[in-house]
Every structure is written in C-alpha cells, then in structure tokens.
Amino acid sequence: MTEGGPAGPTVASDDKRSALLAALDGIVAGTLAIGSATLLAGIVTVLGLAGGQPSPVAAVAAAFIDRTPPWLKDFAIATFGTHDKLALLVGTLVVLAAVCAVVGLLSRWRATVSLSVFVVVGAIGLAAVLSRPGAVAADAAPTVAGVVLGLWYLARGTQPATSGGAGNPSRRLVLGAAIGATAAYVGWAVGGGAARATASRLAAVRTLRVRRRMTVPEGADLKLPGLTPFIVPNDEFYRIDTAFVVPRLDADSWRLRVTGMVEREVEIDWNALQDKEMTEALVTLTCVSNEVGGDLVGNATWTGWPVRELLAMAGPRPGADMVLQTSADGWTCGTPLGALTDDRNALLAIRMNGQPLPFEHGFPARIVVPGLYGYVSACKWVTELKVTTFAADEGYWTPRGWSARGPIKTESRIDVPQPFTDVPAGTVAVAGVAWAQHRGVAKVEVQVDDGPWRTARLAADASIDSWRQWVLEWDAPRGSHTLRVRATDGTGQVQTGTSAPPAPDGASGWHTITVRVH
C-alpha cells in the first residue's frame, strides 16, 4: 500500500488512542491508590490507631507547607487568601495526575520502569506520612495498601488482552476511576473522626460560669454600608494556619498539659476546663501576613479561662521567659511568658461569639493573646504549654525567618469607598477600622490628596484589645482623588508611614486608595 493511503491515518489515530488510554490508565491507578489509602486512613483514624496524618495526600501537602519559604507563603496568602489550602490541594492533585499519566505512558514501552516510578511516588507519600508529628507504624499501612492496589491495577493493564488480564480497556478505566473516587470521598468523610467530633462539639453547648461578661457598647458599630461589622461572624472570620486538614478533635479525649520549667506539671481535661470560672473578652486577632489594608484581621468575643491562672497552678520557675504552645497537628508558637501572666485578657478560649469554637478556629480550645500577632500567640487545637526560654526553644515560624516575639503594629484600613470606584460628588462617608491591640486607638486621621490630615469620628470604644470603627464625612469635589489613613494608639504613638512588607514582623505603612468623583 502506498504512503498516504488509508492505513497511514488509521495507524496514527490508533497510536494516539493507545497513548491516551495508557495515560488514563496511569491516572486511574493513582486514583485507586490515593482513594483506597484515603479510605483506609479514615478507618485507621476512627479506630484510634493513627498517631499523625495517615492520609498520603494530606501528609504530602502538610510536608510541603512545612518547607514553604516565607516569600512563597506570602504569595499564596496574597493570591488565594483563606482559600490557600484549597489551592494547594488542587495543585497537589494536578501534579499527582501528571506524574501518574507519565507512569501510564511509560507502561507502553517499559512496564518495569513504569512500576518502579509508581513505587517511588508511593515511597514519597509514605515518607511524608511518617514525617508528620506523632506518626506511628499504623499510619503507614494505608499508603502501603494503596500503592499495592495501584501496582496491581497497572500490572494487569500491561498484560495482553488475550490473557484475560487487561479486559475491556474502557470498562476497566471507568470501573477503576469510580472505585478510587468513591473510596476517596468516603475516606475524607470519615477521616478525623468527624462524626464523633461533631457530636462532641454540639454537646459543648452548656451553661458556663462567667465572672465578667462583655457587652458591646452602643455606638461601637457604626453600621455603615460596606463597613466591616464590629463583631465579625464566625463563618466570615479569616482563617490562616498550616493545617492542611482541619483537626476535628473529640473534646472528651482532649487534654492540655503544662510542662517544662515549672514546679509541677499540670494536666487539664475538657470537663475540668468547662467547670472553671470564665472571662469574656473582646479581642481583635491579626495575622502577621496581613498586608497594609488587608483583611486578615477580625474582631470577636472570646470566652475562656485566663491562661495566667493555669500557669499559676504549674508555677513557672525563675529564668523562664517563653511558653512554647503546641497544637494537635504539631504546629508550635513561642509566646512571651509575660504576655500570658500579666493582667491582659490572655485566654484559653472555648467559645467564639457565644458559640463553641468552630473546628476551623480551634475546637475544643485555643489560645487568644491581645497585642501579639497570631503566629506567636494564637495556637488552635492547643494540647501543650511548655514553659521554657527563647534561648532554648523556637516556634514554627521563627527558624523560617520571622521575628521571635511579634508585637502587633498600629494599623488602619479604609473599607469604604472601595479603591477605584466611582462616587457621586457631595458628602461621601470615608470609613474603616483601626487597631492597636492592648494599647487602644485614640485617634484616626484621613488625608485627601496632599491636603492636611483631618480627624475622623471614632465609634464608641469597647476595649483596648479590639479595633475601632471610624468615619469621616468628606465633601468630595469632582475628579480623581487619593485617600490615605493613619491611626494614633493609646500611648500617643502615630502609625508610621514607612512601608514595610509583612516579613519578618508585620507590614507597615498608610493604607492609600484612589477614587473617582463624578
């Protein structure tokens, strides 16, 4: 048959179809491996056999987070905000799919090489699982089983169809993908003891003894359209942490230990904690990664037991100057001992805006410390407080280039009008929030273009630990205008106009926007 006849295009088409099926075969093998491993990881966790993170996808993502340089962390938060974990999950799955597709293509030429590469990928997942804090031998079982299942699927695909090994390729692909996806879904659903943890959280709604209740004063919330509410609802509160999978702890099995440089070690459980006399406090939390004008800041009412009373039970020894907080997922932060023992409302918090803590915000208990960025104070899912020194221990972010102590800087933000929006000429409300936790906000000023700084009207002051809303009635002339804001804290210190990035100790500068008046 001459070149270019009917056989030429048919052979090329068959070759492309064969390559596509091979790539899909590899992806389905990966889906089976990950799905079965995720399902088994959920079972291992529910049975109480897991020590760390037995799900290989979650373990790989968590290991990646641990090794993320500060500049990449800032980029991810700036780009994806509170959806950074979802972006990482999608990215992880895309990379795995690409690798598995290559594995499938390799099986067309060298089955042994293909299977070897698949084993290497599985070994990386296994190494990540075993690297997680608290990992035990049982954590490895789901990954090993998943890799074995994936290898079996790949090996059958490399056998000739006449041997009965491969079977109908299309049916095999669909069936394998369905089983893998279903297993993954069920595994994620049961993983972490979600049902038991949810029941535990619902049971946490009980009457507490509160020595001092916090009431938001009239006028603290200006209730202007577009202005962030004074109290941020729980489901709108920002979440930034290193937990790829949110820990869902059973409160009945939760324990908090005080260890280290203490006269006596102390352990407290959930029932004992709930029996303590609680304090309510309005505290604004701020992430150190928050850019000037950013939204990684929020205000809430927290209910909890003063940490100083817990530490007093243990009796810190002379020379101690830091408390290393540890989360259930292994994350740590180093907090100045003085910030946990002075008269500020540093709380072992169990409620947020009157409700049991959401899982995403630390249920069953977390630490809230006014005046410090979250990376050195706000430990969620807290399980240990180690009294120590800054010379002997470091929190998670300190060796990654962030400063050790992290006091919050005085900051302010314009919420309305939004940047680059058109507003009508005449009276325009320029409004926003300002914060200087544990110092309070004494004044907010707004500058229009290069004019004089004008004093804004402050909302009622609720607490030196919470932000204050502010508003300036601006007689806006037509044209393009630049607005900037600065705050003065309770000590008389004016917010600096010197711009600095978040690393290593928090962003600074005046929030500046441009609007068009027509």
Side-chain angles (χ1 to χ4, degrees), residues 21-113:
L21 288 175
L24 290 175
D25 222 27
I27 293 174
V28 171
T31 303
L32 274 173
I34 292 170
S36 58
T38 303
L39 176 59
L40 291 173
I43 294 173
V44 166
T45 302
V46 169
L47 293 177
L49 302 176
Q53 177 52 264
S55 171
V57 172
V60 168
F64 177 82
I65 291 173
D66 287 349
R67 291 158 180 79
T68 299
W71 66 266
L72 184 55
K73 167 186 172 288
D74 288 342
F75 171 80
I77 292 175
T79 305
F80 303 107
T82 56
H83 300 295
D84 56 339
K85 305 300 186 305
L86 176 60
L88 178 57
L89 173 61
V90 172
T92 300
L93 294 178
V94 168
V95 171
L96 284 172
V99 171
C100 289
V102 171
V103 168
L105 288 170
L106 284 173
S107 68
R108 297 180 65 205
W109 295 283
R110 294 287 182 89
T112 303
V113 174

Side-chain angles (χ1 to χ4, degrees), residues 220-232:
D221 194 331
L222 298 175
K223 302 184 187 304
L224 295 175
L227 178 60
T228 304
F230 179 73
I231 297 292
V232 178

Side-chain angles (χ1 to χ4, degrees), residues 488-515:
T488 301
D489 69 21
T491 70
Q493 186 68 39
V494 180
Q495 175 184 345
T496 180
T498 303
S499 296
D505 58 1
S508 66
W510 297 329
H511 187 210
T512 303
I513 68 169
T514 298
V515 296

